[in-house]
Amino acid sequence: MSANAPTDRPSPKSWISAIAPYVPGKAADASGRPVIKLSANENPLGTSPAARAAFGPAGADLATYPDPGASRLREAIAAQYGLDPARVIYGTGSDELLHIAASAYAGPGDEIVYVRYGFSVYDIAARRVGAVPVVACDKDYGTDVDAILAAVTDKTRVVFVANPNNPTGTFSSRTEIARLHAALRADILLVIDQAYAEYLEAEQDDGALDLAMTAPNVLITRTFSKIYGLAAERIGWGYASAEIIETLHRIRAPFNLTTTAQAAAAAAIADVDWVEQSRAHNAKWRTFLCDEVTALGNFGLSFVPSSANFVLVLFEGALTAGQAFEGLMQAGYATRWLPGQGLPNALRITIGTEAHMRDIARLLREMAEG
Ligand SMILES: *Cc1c(COP(=O)(O)O)cnc(C)c1O
């Protein structure tokens, strides 16, 4: 049958049928029993009290559309980072921004490049617009700038790099990001997804925001879902040249941020103490988890060095990642096992509270020692 022959039902575009749906982190075990969720990189400390206080009253008027220009939020973001508020874009999660970046700059036949073990949304964003996803090899689970550059062809329109990367936690230095940008053709949009940037140490600045301020082909994206503890409200933001931002506004959903989301996010970004407290908690318990995993090295456990709020733990001994995933689930903890992303030997574990991390360390030891 020819592709254009009439059928008895609507048929999706072939590139849509080829999409493997996004798999969210689990919040319940197979029987539906709720578990502690160390599977979605949420903030274990919760939401900033200032954001919570702003959220409540903002919900009073449900009949009126939200501010389509999100002006208060843009002003708050711009004030925090010394940016031009007119060049701040906002999305229903940074997911929306990743999708509209792909749709605005790539289409059928074009290519979108990202690294193996990159964020799973890049594959969906590329396929959704009929573009060809091109996967560059990793280097020790991290971003390999040379492999990305080698994957670029005349058809490349967009390059996605998450820094730090999810699910590996790896970080590319300012030098590496600058080298990537300098070697890319000027007509290729470089999207640097900084969902975990707030977890970095001050000296780890990858320079992406500076590039977005000055270069005509760089978009950075940020999210309120991770350190700000506002995942339920679906808020992301981005920064790029005036021209890119004007393009993205054409295709973002018209009232894409709810009134409560705008109010909560504007308060959250100004609460620098909460961010610092969350960052310090994360750094401390990430080190703890890594040390505990190192102590289980004889049993084949190791980890990929992480700059984010999770650790990719590798299982290369008698205890497999699949067994560890099941064992932790039985004990009431959901973690992320990613055989579908080519990581059958690894579990991504979000940094939780002190009690959760101590418990995870104990459970891993018990399982490893058999
Ligand atoms: C969590 C995450 C996002 C974004 O999520 P939103 O909730 O849609 O803002 C984007 N990129 C990466 C790499 C992530 O891990």
Side-chain angles (χ1 to χ4, degrees), residues 50-143:
R52 203 170 261 293
F55 176 85
D61 178 8
L62 296 177
T64 312
Y65 276 110
D67 172 10
S71 21
R72 259 194 62 216
L73 175 58
R74 283 189 297 106
E75 297 286 347
I77 292 168
Q80 197 59 48
Y81 291 100
L83 305 175
D84 174 0
R87 286 168 56 190
V88 175
I89 183 91
Y90 39 92
T92 305
S94 50
D95 275 4
E96 182 186 17
L97 301 175
L98 301 172
H99 283 292
I100 64 177
S103 340
Y105 293 95
D110 294 334
E111 294 176 354
I112 295 186
V113 177
Y114 52 87
V115 289
R116 174 155 65 150
Y117 314 132
F119 185 41
S120 54
V121 165
Y122 307 152
D123 179 80
I124 301 174
R127 292 178 191 274
R128 196 177 80 129
V129 299
V132 178
V134 175
V135 179
C137 275
D138 64 299
K139 185 165 66 191
D140 298 331
Y141 294 95
T143 297

Side-chain angles (χ1 to χ4, degrees), residues 142-211:
T143 297
D144 182 346
V145 166
D146 295 306
I148 292 177
L149 293 173
V152 168
T153 73
D154 312 348
K155 293 181 182 161
T156 307
R157 296 289 171 266
V158 178
V159 171
F160 281 116
V161 172
N163 201 32
N165 185 43
N166 172 19
T168 60
T170 51
F171 176 71
S172 302
S173 69
R174 188 180 183 105
T175 318
E176 285 295 278
I177 295 294
R179 191 163 76 82
L180 171 62
H181 176 252
L184 275 186
R185 283 199 322 270
D187 65 311
I188 297 175
L189 177 68
L190 173 59
V191 181
I192 305 173
D193 173 347
Q194 297 190 301
Y196 302 96
E198 298 83 4
Y199 288 102
L200 296 171
E201 308 293 333
E203 70 274 11
Q204 275 184 311
D205 180 5
D206 67 2
L209 186 55
D210 290 341
L211 279 177

